[in-house]
Amino acid sequence: MAMVRLLSTWCLAALASSCAALNAEFVISNAVIAPDGFSKDAIVVNGQTPGPVLSAQKGERFQVTVTDMLVDESMNKSTSMHWHGINQYGTAEMDGASMVTQCPIASGDSFTQTDLTVDVGEGMRGPLVIYDPQDPYSDLYDVDNGSTILTLMDWYHVNAYDVAFTATPDATLINGLGRYEDGPPVPLAVLNVVLGKRYRIRLMNMACKPNYIFTIDNHAFTVIEADSDLTTPLEVDSIQIFCGQRYSFILVADQPIDNYWIHALPNYDTTFEGGLNSAILRYDGALEMDPIYRNWTTSNPLLEGNLHPLVNPAAPGGAESGGADVSINLETVWDDSTRFLINGYSYTSPSVPILLQILNGSVDASELKPYGSVYTLPANKTIELSIPGGQPEGPHPFHLHGHTFSVVRTAGSDIYNYDNPVRRDTTSNGASGDNVTIRFRTDNPGPWLFHCHIDFHMEEGMAVVFAEDTNGTASALNVTSTWKELCSTYDALSPTERIVEQHRRRHTKHQIGH
């Protein structure tokens, strides 16, 4: 995420606290795969894309060993693993953001992340689900397991570094399967249901670029969670979901036994013809065939401003304009030379991870690199960020590592809600005229990336880092010798073994269009 390409993302559906350990091993390697019937080189996790589902009960502690076996120099050989949605309280060194909280893992090396995105365009991503035995909504559904996870991702038939900025994906993959225009009618993902049963569906957008309008023919649903935070129930019949966002909703299998189209309409010119951008909802007893066309018209879309937290709904700080301790306006522009700037600076990865810079004694913004892109924040204060919209290739979904935040002003609205705004970790900054505003507390020492979750935009500088409580970071963390050795190993690599930034720039075909 040149840093964009060094992160893989595991999307989270619910948060966990620390207790007993859950051990897992991820082997990152190259393979030729054809999820839509077109064979291409890709990056896989334990031999598959999306990667295997990680799941646990709330209260269990993750320990994941990541082994890098990448050899294809047309893609990255170094990598790291970011746990999207895990806030890493007191463990910023395990966040997995390359050159922010750690050096990348070199090919042939491994690293164990003990407290619990990069080549996402090449397939390196997957779901992480934490099940809560005390879920207050458990009486609303009958089924919630691996079969009710739905992942959305874009797929390209060329190396991710050769994707033009204005290019559209060749396919949408739902649970790792899809079709492309004029391609073979390969099998699509199937969500199996039984008439009369109620299902908790966990929907995740793991795409590099598109947002999607998600629908299921003839079915409405009840949203109960946004980005791992439970919400009051909200009935809708369509969900716009941006890169990095997650929703849980209750689906009631109450229609006649048959096959029904599941659609994920991306925000570019395309269709559903021939099963493009689609999967299948199949009732038990239905024939194994593609659904028929139904003229299903939606009228009740999910609006972010209609979502409200189930518990502790108020935003931090005073319930008024100026009610935060620190207010920062993040003005993003496109400078017509293939880069975004936030408040005048385009983010580029430093040569030394920002966390390591802090541990080595650099605690002021003027000392931290990349200069102009690192903001130091005081501990235990309320921060308010304003993120105006209207940039090219928008809307832009902004994601904050290390925190959930309250969206006190949502895209498409000029109302400020301090009483019960939705709480999440990824939100769209909307269109021209929008001034999306979020608040959070600085209760988690460390450097936290805040970035557009469109892979290509972050690579072109659409990011900043909030270095939180720099004076207290060293004492708050327990950095291991293994973590420090990552940089020694990475620094010893040749340039071609580190990143393929030069390859990326040689193959850039188009600038972002206005």
Side-chain angles (χ1 to χ4, degrees):
M1 282 158 137
M3 183 188 54
V4 172
R5 301 300 184 184
L6 298 176
L7 290 177
S8 65
T9 301
W10 250 249
C11 284
L12 177 69
L15 291 177
S17 57
S18 294
C19 190
L22 176 72
N23 298 319
E25 293 187 5
F26 280 175
V27 177
I28 315 301
S29 61
N30 300 108
V32 176
I33 61 175
D36 61 352
F38 182 93
S39 297
K40 65 159 286 187
D41 295 315
I43 293 175
V44 296
V45 183
N46 294 359
Q48 66 184 73
T49 188
V53 176
L54 277 181
S55 63
Q57 297 292 312
K58 184 177 180 180
E60 290 183 311
R61 178 173 172 263
F62 275 102
Q63 178 169 300
V64 181
T65 299
V66 181
T67 300
D68 182 345
M69 300 299 291
L70 299 171
V71 295
D72 188 339
E73 292 188 359
S74 72
M75 294 175 268
N76 278 310
K77 292 175 63 178
S78 300
T79 191
S80 67
M81 194 71 71
H82 166 58
W83 310 100
H84 181 100
I86 296 282
N87 288 334
Q88 301 290 169
Y89 285 109
T91 57
E93 75 278 9
M94 295 296 170
D95 187 51
S98 291
M99 307 316 292
V100 178
T101 57
Q102 71 171 73
C103 280
I105 306 166
S107 178
D109 201 5
S110 63
F111 180 56
T112 300
Q113 290 170 277
T114 57
D115 291 282
L116 317 177
T117 183
V118 29
D119 293 310
V120 286
E122 306 293 358
M124 189 173 164
R125 41 197 157 170
L128 165 61
V129 180
I130 310 296
Y131 296 100
D132 184 0
Q134 306 301 318
D135 181 8
Y137 287 139
S138 60
D139 61 339
L140 297 183
Y141 56 84
D142 306 302
V143 182
D144 177 24
N145 55 35
S147 72
T148 61
I149 297 170
L150 289 178
T151 63
L152 311 178
M153 55 192 280
D154 47 348
W155 194 248
Y156 303 85
H157 290 172
V158 298
N159 186 304
Y161 286 96
D162 294 332
V163 175
F165 288 121
T166 54
T168 56
D170 292 290
T172 294
L173 304 185
I174 300 180
N175 283 358
L177 298 173
R179 295 174 184 168
Y180 66 94
E181 189 173 359
D182 297 325
V186 296
L188 296 172
V190 176
L191 175 61
N192 291 294
V193 297
V194 175
L195 181 65
K197 294 286 188 180
R198 304 164 302 166
Y199 297 82
R200 177 174 178 163
I201 308 298
R202 297 174 185 265
L203 179 68
M204 311 179 193
N205 184 348
M206 303 193 299
C208 301
K209 189 174 184 179
N211 68 74
Y212 299 95
I213 303 295
F214 177 88
T215 59
I216 303 177
D217 279 359
N218 288 34
H219 292 75
F221 20 85
T222 303
V223 174
I224 59 169
E225 172 252 319
D227 296 357
S228 310
D229 216 276
L230 292 176
T231 65
T232 55
L234 179 66
E235 293 187 6
V236 302
D237 57 19
S238 67
I239 295 174
Q240 184 176 25
I241 183 167
F242 291 87
C243 298
Q245 290 186 330
R246 295 89 65 208
Y247 290 102
S248 281
F249 61 84
I250 306 302
L251 173 69
V252 181
D254 58 0
Q255 297 298 302
I257 292 174
D258 206 342
N259 296 294
Y260 297 84
W261 282 119
I262 298 172
H263 288 317
L265 181 65
N267 59 321
Y268 53 84
D269 187 20
T270 185
T271 72
F272 299 125
E273 187 174 349
L276 300 181
N277 309 302
S278 300
I280 299 170
L281 177 72
R282 177 166 294 150
Y283 278 70
D284 183 43
L287 297 176
E288 294 188 8
M289 58 184 293
D290 282 1
I292 62 171
Y293 169 77
R294 291 178 171 88
N295 187 21
W296 171 242
T297 302
T298 60
S299 60
N300 187 24
L302 171 66
L303 301 177
E304 189 176 61
N306 290 338
L307 289 171
H308 306 292
L310 179 64
V311 296
N312 301 323
E320 59 188 358
S321 177
D325 299 303
V326 177
S327 297
I328 302 173
N329 184 58
L330 297 174
E331 189 72 43
T332 302
V333 299
W334 173 251
D335 75 349
D336 292 319
S337 63
T338 66
R339 64 176 183 166
F340 286 100
L341 297 91
I342 296 183
N343 290 351
Y345 294 90
S346 183
Y347 185 87
T348 56
S349 290
S351 58
V352 176
I354 296 170
L355 178 55
L356 184 56
Q357 295 178 49
I358 294 170
L359 297 178
N360 287 340
S362 297
V363 295
D364 296 324
S366 60
E367 303 172 312
L368 292 167
K369 293 181 175 54
Y371 180 77
S373 294
V374 182
Y375 295 73
T376 53
L377 300 179
N380 300 312
K381 300 295 183 182
T382 296
I383 310 301
E384 182 173 285
L385 305 179
S386 299
I387 320 152
Q391 301 80 12
E393 294 277 298
H396 299 273
F398 275 87
H399 170 57
L400 178 61
H401 291 217
H403 293 276
T404 54
F405 50 72
S406 297
V407 188
V408 298
R409 176 173 168 175
T410 66
S413 173
D414 58 4
I415 297 172
Y416 288 83
N417 175 11
Y418 304 104
D419 296 329
N420 59 354
V422 63
R423 193 165 48 236
R424 62 187 322 161
D425 58 47
T426 307
T427 192
S428 162
N429 77 335
S432 180
D434 279 321
N435 190 36
V436 170
T437 305
I438 66 175
R439 283 187 181 180
F440 64 96
R441 291 285 294 178
T442 51
D443 55 3
N444 195 10
W448 302 110
L449 196 59
F450 183 67
H451 62 95
C452 175
H453 217 285
I454 295 174
D455 191 359
F456 309 105
H457 297 174
M458 183 177 168
E459 183 173 325
E460 294 307 317
M462 206 172 195
V464 295
V465 170
F466 294 114
E468 188 173 323
D469 188 15
T470 52
N471 288 305
T473 297
S475 60
L477 306 182
N478 182 26
V479 175
T480 65
S481 59
T482 305
W483 180 89
K484 296 176 183 177
E485 289 168 3
L486 286 173
C487 287
S488 299
T489 303
Y490 182 73
D491 290 343
L493 297 175
S494 67
T496 59
E497 292 178 303
R498 295 185 186 182
I499 59 174
V500 289
E501 178 65 13
Q502 291 182 343
H503 172 93
R504 178 70 179 99
R505 295 195 180 280
R506 283 198 305 269
H507 290 76
T508 297
K509 299 175 182 176
H510 300 288
Q511 295 182 0
I512 295 177
H514 290 263

